[in-house]
Amino acid sequence: MTSSFDSIEAAQEAAKRNLWLHFTRMSAYADSDVPVIVRGSGPYVFDQHGKRYLDGLAGLFVSQVGHGRTEIAEAGARQAGELAYFPLWSYAHPKAIELAARLADMAPGDLNRVFFTTSGSEAVESAWKLAKQYFKLTGQPGRYKVISRELAYHGTSMGALAVTGLADIKGPFEPLPPGGVRVPNTNFYRAPEFVADDLDAFGQWAADEIERAILREGPSSVAAVYLEPVQNSGGCFPPPPGYFQRVREICDEYGVLLVSDEVICAFGRLGYYFGSERYGYQPDIITFAKGVTSGYSPLGGMMVRDELMEPFTEGTATFLHGITFAGHPVSTAVALANLDIFEKEDLLGNVRTNEPAFRATLEKLTDLPIVGEVRGAGYFYGIELVKDKETRETFSDDESERLLRGFLSHALFDAGLVCRADDRGDPVIQLSPPLICGQEHFDEMEQILREVLTEAAKQL
Ligand SMILES: Cc1ncc(COP(=O)(O)O)c(C=O)c1O
Protein backbone atom coordinates (compact mmCIF):
# COMPACT_ATOMS: atom_id res chain seq x y z
CA MET A 1 0.00 0.00 0.00
CA THR A 2 1.37 3.44 -0.88
CA SER A 3 0.98 5.49 2.30
CA SER A 4 2.99 6.79 5.20
CA PHE A 5 1.45 4.21 7.55
CA ASP A 6 3.51 1.18 8.54
CA SER A 7 0.62 -1.18 8.29
CA ILE A 8 -2.90 -1.61 7.01
CA GLU A 9 -4.05 -1.66 10.64
CA ALA A 10 -2.44 1.72 11.37
CA ALA A 11 -4.17 3.26 8.35
CA GLN A 12 -7.48 1.75 9.52
CA GLU A 13 -7.06 3.23 12.94
CA ALA A 14 -6.32 6.69 11.55
CA ALA A 15 -9.23 6.41 9.10
CA LYS A 16 -11.58 5.75 12.00
CA ARG A 17 -10.03 8.37 14.26
CA ASN A 18 -9.38 11.28 11.89
CA LEU A 19 -11.40 10.97 8.72
CA TRP A 20 -15.04 12.02 8.38
CA LEU A 21 -16.73 10.24 5.50
CA HIS A 22 -19.46 12.02 3.55
CA PHE A 23 -23.10 10.95 3.88
CA THR A 24 -21.86 8.04 5.99
CA ARG A 25 -23.08 6.60 9.25
CA MET A 26 -19.70 6.56 10.96
CA SER A 27 -21.09 4.14 13.55
CA ALA A 28 -21.27 1.53 10.82
CA TYR A 29 -17.47 1.28 11.02
CA ALA A 30 -17.25 0.81 14.77
CA ASP A 31 -16.87 -2.93 14.34
CA SER A 32 -15.82 -3.26 10.74
CA ASP A 33 -13.10 -1.90 8.48
CA VAL A 34 -13.45 1.28 6.48
CA PRO A 35 -13.04 0.19 2.85
CA VAL A 36 -9.86 1.76 1.52
CA ILE A 37 -9.40 1.98 -2.23
CA VAL A 38 -5.75 2.42 -3.13
CA ARG A 39 -5.51 2.29 -6.90
CA GLY A 40 -7.41 1.86 -10.12
CA SER A 41 -6.88 0.49 -13.59
CA GLY A 42 -9.43 0.80 -16.41
CA PRO A 43 -12.87 -0.03 -14.98
CA TYR A 44 -11.40 -1.73 -11.90
CA VAL A 45 -10.26 -0.46 -8.51
CA PHE A 46 -8.24 -2.29 -5.85
CA ASP A 47 -8.41 -2.13 -2.07
CA GLN A 48 -5.59 -2.14 0.47
CA HIS A 49 -5.54 -5.94 0.44
CA GLY A 50 -5.16 -6.07 -3.33
CA LYS A 51 -8.76 -7.21 -3.88
CA ARG A 52 -10.25 -6.12 -7.21
CA TYR A 53 -13.66 -4.49 -7.69
CA LEU A 54 -15.52 -3.58 -10.86
CA ASP A 55 -16.25 0.13 -10.54
CA GLY A 56 -19.89 -0.03 -11.60
CA LEU A 57 -20.53 3.54 -10.46
CA ALA A 58 -17.47 5.22 -12.04
CA GLY A 59 -16.55 6.31 -8.52
CA LEU A 60 -19.56 8.59 -8.13
CA PHE A 61 -20.68 9.01 -11.77
CA VAL A 62 -17.27 10.50 -12.48
CA SER A 63 -14.61 8.21 -13.98
CA GLN A 64 -15.74 8.25 -17.61
CA VAL A 65 -12.40 7.19 -19.15
CA GLY A 66 -11.60 4.75 -16.36
CA HIS A 67 -8.76 4.69 -13.88
CA GLY A 68 -4.99 4.84 -14.28
CA ARG A 69 -4.79 7.02 -17.40
CA THR A 70 -1.24 8.27 -17.16
CA GLU A 71 -1.66 10.68 -20.09
CA ILE A 72 -4.17 12.67 -18.04
CA ALA A 73 -1.98 12.54 -14.95
CA GLU A 74 0.96 13.78 -17.02
CA ALA A 75 -1.06 16.65 -18.48
CA GLY A 76 -1.89 17.73 -14.93
CA ALA A 77 1.71 17.43 -13.78
CA ARG A 78 2.99 19.43 -16.77
CA GLN A 79 0.52 22.19 -16.01
CA ALA A 80 1.42 22.26 -12.29
CA GLY A 81 5.07 22.67 -13.29
CA GLU A 82 4.29 25.53 -15.66
CA LEU A 83 1.59 27.41 -13.74
CA ALA A 84 0.09 25.63 -10.76
CA TYR A 85 -2.33 28.36 -9.84
CA PHE A 86 -3.72 31.65 -10.88
CA PRO A 87 -7.27 32.87 -10.28
CA LEU A 88 -9.90 33.58 -12.90
CA TRP A 89 -10.69 36.78 -11.02
CA SER A 90 -9.80 39.48 -13.58
CA TYR A 91 -7.17 37.22 -15.19
CA ALA A 92 -7.29 34.30 -17.55
CA HIS A 93 -4.87 31.43 -18.12
CA PRO A 94 -4.38 29.48 -21.34
CA LYS A 95 -6.00 26.20 -20.34
CA ALA A 96 -9.17 27.89 -19.02
CA ILE A 97 -9.45 29.78 -22.31
CA GLU A 98 -8.85 26.67 -24.39
CA LEU A 99 -11.34 24.59 -22.42
CA ALA A 100 -14.02 27.30 -22.46
CA ALA A 101 -13.68 27.59 -26.24
CA ARG A 102 -13.80 23.81 -26.68
CA LEU A 103 -16.87 23.45 -24.47
CA ALA A 104 -18.60 26.33 -26.28
CA ASP A 105 -17.97 24.47 -29.55
CA MET A 106 -19.43 21.27 -28.14
CA ALA A 107 -22.44 22.74 -26.36
CA PRO A 108 -25.85 22.95 -28.06
CA GLY A 109 -27.01 26.26 -29.59
CA ASP A 110 -25.63 29.52 -28.32
CA LEU A 111 -24.35 28.30 -24.96
CA ASN A 112 -21.08 30.09 -25.52
CA ARG A 113 -20.08 31.43 -22.14
CA VAL A 114 -18.44 29.20 -19.53
CA PHE A 115 -18.27 30.10 -15.85
CA PHE A 116 -16.09 27.56 -14.05
CA THR A 117 -16.57 26.23 -10.53
CA THR A 118 -14.91 23.39 -8.65
CA SER A 119 -17.99 21.23 -8.10
CA GLY A 120 -21.54 20.43 -9.14
CA SER A 121 -23.11 22.10 -6.11
CA GLU A 122 -21.26 25.30 -6.90
CA ALA A 123 -22.40 25.06 -10.51
CA VAL A 124 -26.04 24.69 -9.45
CA GLU A 125 -25.67 27.52 -6.97
CA SER A 126 -23.91 29.73 -9.52
CA ALA A 127 -26.77 29.24 -11.99
CA TRP A 128 -29.28 30.37 -9.39
CA LYS A 129 -27.20 33.41 -8.50
CA LEU A 130 -26.81 34.28 -12.16
CA ALA A 131 -30.56 33.92 -12.76
CA LYS A 132 -31.32 36.23 -9.83
CA GLN A 133 -28.83 38.89 -10.82
CA TYR A 134 -29.75 38.66 -14.49
CA PHE A 135 -33.41 39.30 -13.72
CA LYS A 136 -32.53 42.20 -11.42
CA LEU A 137 -30.46 43.75 -14.19
CA THR A 138 -33.18 43.27 -16.78
CA GLY A 139 -36.06 44.85 -14.88
CA GLN A 140 -37.65 41.73 -13.37
CA PRO A 141 -36.31 41.87 -9.80
CA GLY A 142 -39.14 39.74 -8.38
CA ARG A 143 -37.92 36.57 -10.08
CA TYR A 144 -36.05 34.42 -7.56
CA LYS A 145 -37.87 31.09 -7.19
CA VAL A 146 -36.59 27.84 -8.61
CA ILE A 147 -38.65 24.84 -9.59
CA SER A 148 -37.21 21.33 -9.40
CA ARG A 149 -38.53 17.80 -9.13
CA GLU A 150 -39.40 15.58 -6.21
CA LEU A 151 -36.47 13.45 -5.04
CA ALA A 152 -34.04 15.22 -7.38
CA TYR A 153 -30.54 15.75 -5.98
CA HIS A 154 -28.84 18.98 -7.00
CA GLY A 155 -26.11 19.27 -4.37
CA THR A 156 -25.48 20.08 -0.73
CA SER A 157 -24.44 23.71 -0.32
CA MET A 158 -27.30 25.79 1.11
CA GLY A 159 -28.52 27.12 -2.25
CA ALA A 160 -28.12 23.83 -4.08
CA LEU A 161 -29.85 22.09 -1.17
CA ALA A 162 -32.79 24.45 -1.54
CA VAL A 163 -33.05 23.27 -5.16
CA THR A 164 -32.75 19.62 -4.08
CA GLY A 165 -36.01 17.70 -3.65
CA LEU A 166 -34.98 15.27 -0.90
CA ALA A 167 -36.67 16.24 2.37
CA ASP A 168 -34.50 13.95 4.53
CA ILE A 169 -31.21 15.63 3.71
CA LYS A 170 -32.67 19.14 3.97
CA GLY A 171 -34.42 18.95 7.32
CA PRO A 172 -31.35 19.35 9.56
CA PHE A 173 -30.33 22.52 7.71
CA GLU A 174 -33.61 24.40 7.59
CA PRO A 175 -34.27 27.20 7.11
CA LEU A 176 -32.76 27.13 3.65
CA PRO A 177 -32.79 30.04 1.19
CA PRO A 178 -36.43 30.62 0.24
CA GLY A 179 -37.83 29.94 -3.19
CA GLY A 180 -37.50 26.19 -3.79
CA VAL A 181 -40.67 24.78 -5.39
CA ARG A 182 -41.25 21.06 -6.14
CA VAL A 183 -43.03 19.39 -9.03
CA PRO A 184 -43.50 15.66 -9.83
CA ASN A 185 -40.65 13.71 -11.38
CA THR A 186 -40.90 11.38 -14.36
CA ASN A 187 -41.09 8.04 -12.55
CA PHE A 188 -43.47 6.26 -14.93
CA TYR A 189 -43.26 3.05 -12.89
CA ARG A 190 -45.05 4.93 -10.12
CA ALA A 191 -47.20 7.18 -12.33
CA PRO A 192 -50.60 8.37 -11.02
CA GLU A 193 -53.34 6.00 -12.08
CA PHE A 194 -55.01 8.31 -14.60
CA VAL A 195 -51.87 8.34 -16.77
CA ALA A 196 -50.32 5.01 -15.70
CA ASP A 197 -51.00 3.28 -19.04
CA ASP A 198 -49.94 6.05 -21.38
CA LEU A 199 -46.33 7.23 -21.35
CA ASP A 200 -47.01 10.21 -23.64
CA ALA A 201 -49.94 11.40 -21.53
CA PHE A 202 -47.84 10.92 -18.40
CA GLY A 203 -45.04 13.05 -19.89
CA GLN A 204 -47.47 15.81 -20.86
CA TRP A 205 -49.02 15.76 -17.40
CA ALA A 206 -45.62 15.88 -15.67
CA ALA A 207 -44.49 18.79 -17.87
CA ASP A 208 -47.80 20.61 -17.40
CA GLU A 209 -47.30 20.33 -13.64
CA ILE A 210 -44.40 22.76 -14.15
CA GLU A 211 -46.77 25.23 -15.77
CA ARG A 212 -49.25 24.78 -12.94
CA ALA A 213 -46.48 25.44 -10.40
CA ILE A 214 -45.41 28.60 -12.25
CA LEU A 215 -48.99 29.86 -12.29
CA ARG A 216 -49.51 28.97 -8.63
CA GLU A 217 -46.34 30.78 -7.56
CA GLY A 218 -46.93 33.71 -9.88
CA PRO A 219 -44.89 33.79 -13.11
CA SER A 220 -43.18 37.06 -12.21
CA SER A 221 -41.60 35.37 -9.15
CA VAL A 222 -40.11 32.34 -10.90
CA ALA A 223 -36.52 32.53 -12.13
CA ALA A 224 -35.62 29.02 -13.27
CA VAL A 225 -36.55 25.38 -13.65
CA TYR A 226 -33.80 22.85 -12.82
CA LEU A 227 -34.07 19.46 -14.49
CA GLU A 228 -31.62 16.62 -15.08
CA PRO A 229 -31.91 14.98 -18.52
CA VAL A 230 -32.26 11.65 -16.69
CA GLN A 231 -33.05 12.16 -13.01
CA ASN A 232 -30.54 10.31 -10.88
CA SER A 233 -32.04 10.26 -7.44
CA GLY A 234 -34.97 7.88 -7.16
CA GLY A 235 -33.26 5.60 -9.65
CA CYS A 236 -32.69 6.92 -13.17
CA PHE A 237 -35.95 8.40 -14.46
CA PRO A 238 -35.68 9.07 -18.22
CA PRO A 239 -37.89 11.79 -19.68
CA PRO A 240 -41.04 10.58 -21.46
CA PRO A 241 -41.23 11.47 -25.17
CA GLY A 242 -42.07 15.14 -25.66
CA TYR A 243 -41.50 16.04 -22.00
CA PHE A 244 -38.61 18.43 -22.53
CA GLN A 245 -40.19 19.95 -25.63
CA ARG A 246 -43.26 20.87 -23.57
CA VAL A 247 -41.06 22.16 -20.72
CA ARG A 248 -39.19 24.37 -23.19
CA GLU A 249 -42.50 25.80 -24.44
CA ILE A 250 -43.62 26.51 -20.88
CA CYS A 251 -40.34 28.20 -19.98
CA ASP A 252 -40.56 30.36 -23.11
CA GLU A 253 -44.15 31.29 -22.43
CA TYR A 254 -43.47 32.48 -18.88
CA GLY A 255 -39.93 33.82 -19.35
CA VAL A 256 -38.41 31.24 -17.01
CA LEU A 257 -34.86 29.95 -17.51
CA LEU A 258 -34.39 26.24 -18.20
CA VAL A 259 -31.35 24.90 -16.36
CA SER A 260 -30.26 21.47 -17.51
CA ASP A 261 -28.38 20.04 -14.54
CA GLU A 262 -25.96 17.73 -16.33
CA VAL A 263 -23.55 17.14 -13.48
CA ILE A 264 -24.07 13.42 -14.13
CA CYS A 265 -25.61 13.32 -17.62
CA ALA A 266 -22.98 15.29 -19.57
CA PHE A 267 -19.72 13.97 -20.98
CA GLY A 268 -20.87 10.72 -22.45
CA ARG A 269 -22.98 9.25 -19.66
CA LEU A 270 -25.95 9.12 -22.08
CA GLY A 271 -23.86 8.65 -25.23
CA TYR A 272 -23.65 12.37 -26.04
CA TYR A 273 -21.52 15.20 -24.74
CA PHE A 274 -24.67 16.69 -23.25
CA GLY A 275 -27.86 14.96 -22.15
CA SER A 276 -29.92 17.80 -23.62
CA GLU A 277 -28.53 16.84 -27.05
CA ARG A 278 -29.82 13.32 -26.65
CA TYR A 279 -33.32 14.52 -25.84
CA GLY A 280 -33.32 17.39 -28.35
CA TYR A 281 -33.94 20.43 -26.18
CA GLN A 282 -32.13 23.73 -25.82
CA PRO A 283 -31.34 24.75 -22.24
CA ASP A 284 -30.57 28.32 -21.20
CA ILE A 285 -27.92 27.07 -18.80
CA ILE A 286 -26.12 23.73 -18.50
CA THR A 287 -24.47 22.87 -15.20
CA PHE A 288 -21.68 20.29 -15.32
CA ALA A 289 -18.90 18.75 -13.19
CA LYS A 290 -17.83 15.13 -12.58
CA GLY A 291 -17.11 13.61 -16.02
CA VAL A 292 -15.54 16.77 -17.46
CA THR A 293 -12.24 15.65 -15.89
CA SER A 294 -13.14 12.00 -15.25
CA GLY A 295 -12.15 12.87 -11.69
CA TYR A 296 -8.43 13.32 -12.31
CA SER A 297 -8.86 16.75 -10.75
CA PRO A 298 -11.97 18.60 -9.53
CA LEU A 299 -13.82 20.91 -11.90
CA GLY A 300 -17.38 22.06 -12.53
CA GLY A 301 -19.09 24.93 -14.22
CA MET A 302 -22.06 26.37 -16.01
CA MET A 303 -22.48 27.24 -19.66
CA VAL A 304 -24.91 30.00 -20.46
CA ARG A 305 -26.57 31.42 -23.55
CA ASP A 306 -25.18 34.63 -25.03
CA GLU A 307 -28.35 36.44 -24.02
CA LEU A 308 -27.74 35.82 -20.31
CA MET A 309 -24.30 37.37 -20.57
CA GLU A 310 -25.48 40.51 -22.38
CA PRO A 311 -26.44 42.61 -19.34
CA PHE A 312 -22.95 41.96 -17.97
CA THR A 313 -21.11 43.23 -21.01
CA GLU A 314 -21.80 46.93 -20.48
CA GLY A 315 -20.76 49.63 -18.05
CA THR A 316 -20.09 48.61 -14.47
CA ALA A 317 -22.24 45.47 -14.48
CA THR A 318 -20.38 42.55 -12.93
CA PHE A 319 -21.51 39.07 -11.98
CA LEU A 320 -20.70 39.35 -8.28
CA HIS A 321 -19.61 35.77 -7.74
CA GLY A 322 -16.33 33.85 -7.71
CA ILE A 323 -14.52 30.85 -6.25
CA THR A 324 -10.77 30.75 -5.60
CA PHE A 325 -10.06 27.38 -7.18
CA ALA A 326 -12.67 27.53 -9.95
CA GLY A 327 -11.23 26.76 -13.38
CA HIS A 328 -7.96 25.71 -11.76
CA PRO A 329 -5.09 25.45 -14.27
CA VAL A 330 -4.41 21.80 -13.40
CA SER A 331 -8.09 20.87 -13.62
CA THR A 332 -8.63 22.60 -16.95
CA ALA A 333 -5.47 20.98 -18.39
CA VAL A 334 -6.74 17.63 -17.14
CA ALA A 335 -10.20 18.25 -18.67
CA LEU A 336 -8.60 18.91 -22.07
CA ALA A 337 -6.59 15.68 -21.86
CA ASN A 338 -9.76 13.85 -20.79
CA LEU A 339 -11.67 15.18 -23.80
CA ASP A 340 -8.77 14.14 -26.07
CA ILE A 341 -9.33 10.56 -24.89
CA PHE A 342 -13.07 10.86 -25.59
CA GLU A 343 -12.22 11.76 -29.17
CA LYS A 344 -9.34 9.32 -29.71
CA GLU A 345 -11.27 6.37 -28.37
CA ASP A 346 -14.71 7.42 -29.60
CA LEU A 347 -16.24 6.93 -26.17
CA LEU A 348 -19.57 8.42 -27.24
CA GLY A 349 -19.68 5.85 -30.03
CA ASN A 350 -18.84 3.11 -27.54
CA VAL A 351 -21.75 4.06 -25.31
CA ARG A 352 -24.19 4.38 -28.22
CA THR A 353 -23.14 1.04 -29.71
CA ASN A 354 -23.22 -0.84 -26.42
CA GLU A 355 -26.24 0.76 -24.77
CA PRO A 356 -28.72 -1.88 -26.06
CA ALA A 357 -26.44 -4.71 -24.90
CA PHE A 358 -25.98 -3.13 -21.47
CA ARG A 359 -29.71 -2.72 -21.06
CA ALA A 360 -30.44 -6.24 -22.31
CA THR A 361 -27.87 -7.73 -19.94
CA LEU A 362 -29.35 -5.92 -16.95
CA GLU A 363 -32.88 -6.78 -18.05
CA LYS A 364 -32.04 -10.46 -17.64
CA LEU A 365 -32.34 -9.71 -13.91
CA THR A 366 -36.06 -9.08 -14.25
CA ASP A 367 -36.57 -12.85 -13.88
CA LEU A 368 -35.74 -12.40 -10.18
CA PRO A 369 -38.76 -11.93 -7.93
CA ILE A 370 -37.23 -8.89 -6.24
CA VAL A 371 -36.48 -6.92 -9.44
CA GLY A 372 -39.38 -4.65 -10.40
CA GLU A 373 -37.91 -2.59 -13.20
CA VAL A 374 -34.68 -1.77 -15.02
CA ARG A 375 -34.67 1.79 -16.34
CA GLY A 376 -32.26 4.41 -17.58
CA ALA A 377 -30.31 5.32 -20.70
CA GLY A 378 -26.76 5.21 -22.03
CA TYR A 379 -24.46 3.89 -19.31
CA PHE A 380 -26.80 4.98 -16.53
CA TYR A 381 -29.31 2.52 -15.07
CA GLY A 382 -31.42 2.03 -12.00
CA ILE A 383 -32.82 -1.32 -10.91
CA GLU A 384 -35.90 -0.90 -8.73
CA LEU A 385 -36.36 -3.55 -6.07
CA VAL A 386 -39.86 -4.51 -5.01
CA LYS A 387 -41.49 -6.76 -2.45
CA ASP A 388 -44.19 -7.85 -4.85
CA LYS A 389 -43.66 -7.69 -8.57
CA GLU A 390 -47.33 -8.00 -9.49
CA THR A 391 -48.60 -5.20 -7.28
CA ARG A 392 -45.32 -3.22 -7.36
CA GLU A 393 -45.53 -3.05 -3.58
CA THR A 394 -42.38 -1.57 -2.16
CA PHE A 395 -40.60 -2.33 1.11
CA SER A 396 -41.45 -0.83 4.47
CA ASP A 397 -38.85 1.50 5.98
CA ASP A 398 -37.68 -1.34 8.23
CA GLU A 399 -37.37 -3.82 5.40
CA SER A 400 -35.60 -1.25 3.26
CA GLU A 401 -33.17 -0.56 6.08
CA ARG A 402 -32.44 -4.27 6.53
CA LEU A 403 -32.28 -4.97 2.81
CA LEU A 404 -30.27 -2.02 1.54
CA ARG A 405 -28.13 -0.90 4.43
CA GLY A 406 -28.06 -4.14 6.37
CA PHE A 407 -27.32 -6.47 3.49
CA LEU A 408 -27.10 -5.32 -0.12
CA SER A 409 -24.53 -2.53 0.12
CA HIS A 410 -22.00 -4.75 1.87
CA ALA A 411 -22.82 -7.91 -0.03
CA LEU A 412 -22.39 -6.28 -3.44
CA PHE A 413 -19.11 -4.71 -2.42
CA ASP A 414 -17.86 -7.98 -0.89
CA ALA A 415 -18.79 -9.72 -4.12
CA GLY A 416 -16.55 -7.30 -6.03
CA LEU A 417 -18.96 -4.70 -7.41
CA VAL A 418 -18.99 -0.99 -6.63
CA CYS A 419 -22.53 0.28 -7.22
CA ARG A 420 -25.09 2.11 -5.20
CA ALA A 421 -27.96 0.72 -3.18
CA ASP A 422 -30.14 3.76 -2.59
CA ASP A 423 -33.43 4.24 -0.78
CA ARG A 424 -33.90 7.97 -1.03
CA GLY A 425 -36.99 7.11 -3.06
CA ASP A 426 -38.08 3.51 -3.48
CA PRO A 427 -35.15 1.10 -3.14
CA VAL A 428 -32.93 0.97 -6.20
CA ILE A 429 -29.51 -0.22 -7.25
CA GLN A 430 -27.72 2.18 -9.52
CA LEU A 431 -25.13 1.49 -12.15
CA SER A 432 -23.06 4.02 -14.01
CA PRO A 433 -19.84 2.35 -15.18
CA PRO A 434 -16.88 3.96 -16.95
CA LEU A 435 -17.63 4.57 -20.62
CA ILE A 436 -14.86 2.19 -21.70
CA CYS A 437 -16.85 -0.83 -20.48
CA GLY A 438 -18.11 -3.53 -22.81
CA GLN A 439 -19.98 -6.84 -22.71
CA GLU A 440 -17.54 -8.64 -20.40
CA HIS A 441 -18.12 -5.94 -17.77
CA PHE A 442 -21.90 -5.97 -18.25
CA ASP A 443 -21.82 -9.75 -17.72
CA GLU A 444 -19.71 -9.37 -14.61
CA MET A 445 -22.18 -6.85 -13.18
CA GLU A 446 -25.15 -9.05 -14.02
CA GLN A 447 -23.59 -12.15 -12.47
CA ILE A 448 -22.72 -10.42 -9.21
CA LEU A 449 -26.12 -8.74 -9.02
CA ARG A 450 -27.90 -12.03 -9.74
CA GLU A 451 -26.06 -13.85 -7.00
CA VAL A 452 -26.50 -11.12 -4.38
CA LEU A 453 -30.12 -10.26 -5.23
CA THR A 454 -31.07 -13.95 -5.13
CA GLU A 455 -29.61 -14.14 -1.65
CA ALA A 456 -31.36 -10.89 -0.65
CA ALA A 457 -34.75 -12.26 -1.74
CA LYS A 458 -34.15 -15.34 0.44
CA GLN A 459 -33.43 -13.17 3.45
CA LEU A 460 -36.71 -11.28 3.25
C1 LIG B 1 -27.45 16.40 -10.78
C2 LIG B 1 -26.46 16.81 -9.74
N1 LIG B 1 -26.30 18.11 -9.47
C3 LIG B 1 -25.40 18.54 -8.56
C4 LIG B 1 -24.63 17.64 -7.86
C5 LIG B 1 -23.64 18.13 -6.84
O1 LIG B 1 -22.35 17.93 -7.29
P1 LIG B 1 -21.11 17.98 -6.27
O2 LIG B 1 -21.20 16.76 -5.42
O3 LIG B 1 -19.92 17.98 -7.19
O4 LIG B 1 -21.21 19.24 -5.50
C6 LIG B 1 -24.75 16.27 -8.12
C7 LIG B 1 -23.92 15.28 -7.42
O5 LIG B 1 -24.06 14.10 -7.54
C8 LIG B 1 -25.70 15.84 -9.08
O6 LIG B 1 -25.87 14.55 -9.35
Side-chain angles (χ1 to χ4, degrees), residues 119-121 124 153-155 228 261 263-264 290:
S119 71
S121 297
V124 165
Y153 181 87
H154 293 284
E228 290 167 90
D261 184 357
V263 166
I264 289 179
K290 297 189 187 260

Side-chain angles (χ1 to χ4, degrees), residues 69-137:
R69 297 295 195 123
T70 50
E71 62 268 57
I72 304 187
E74 281 156 13
R78 265 197 311 278
Q79 182 59 45
E82 200 167 294
L83 177 72
Y85 176 71
F86 219 73
L88 291 180
W89 302 42
S90 305
Y91 305 94
H93 57 77
K95 292 295 190 268
I97 300 171
E98 194 181 333
L99 182 61
R102 191 156 168 183
L103 292 176
D105 256 4
M106 289 158 57
D110 63 344
L111 289 158
N112 290 321
R113 192 68 70 154
V114 186
F115 183 94
F116 286 115
T117 66
T118 62
S119 71
S121 297
E122 286 171 358
V124 165
E125 189 119 0
S126 300
W128 194 2
K129 288 182 79 173
L130 174 64
K132 281 173 140 179
Q133 199 183 348
Y134 167 81
F135 283 122
K136 286 200 166 70
L137 285 174

Side-chain angles (χ1 to χ4, degrees), residues 71 337 339-347:
E71 62 268 57
L339 294 176
D340 288 345
I341 292 183
F342 268 73
E343 281 175 20
K344 238 181 353 216
E345 300 182 11
D346 187 21
L347 292 185

Side-chain angles (χ1 to χ4, degrees), residues 16 19-21 23-34 401 405 410:
K16 290 185 185 185
L19 188 61
W20 201 331
L21 303 179
F23 278 116
T24 303
R25 289 182 191 173
M26 293 305 288
S27 62
Y29 295 118
D31 304 316
S32 65
D33 279 357
V34 176
E401 171 76 26
R405 295 183 197 271
H410 306 288

Side-chain angles (χ1 to χ4, degrees), residues 124-132 134-135 140 142-149 154 162-163 179-183 210 213-214 217-227 247-248 250-251 254-260 284-285 287 308:
V124 165
E125 189 119 0
S126 300
W128 194 2
K129 288 182 79 173
L130 174 64
K132 281 173 140 179
Y134 167 81
F135 283 122
Q140 302 184 73
R143 286 193 189 264
Y144 70 96
K145 294 179 188 167
V146 283
I147 293 174
S148 57
R149 295 183 290 197
H154 293 284
V163 183
V181 176
R182 290 298 87 69
V183 291
I210 294 176
I214 292 173
E217 295 297 322
S220 62
S221 72
V222 181
V225 178
Y226 279 75
L227 304 170
V247 172
R248 183 68 264 180
I250 294 167
C251 288
Y254 297 101
V256 171
L257 301 177
L258 174 54
V259 181
S260 191
D284 299 300
I285 302 178
T287 49
L308 292 177

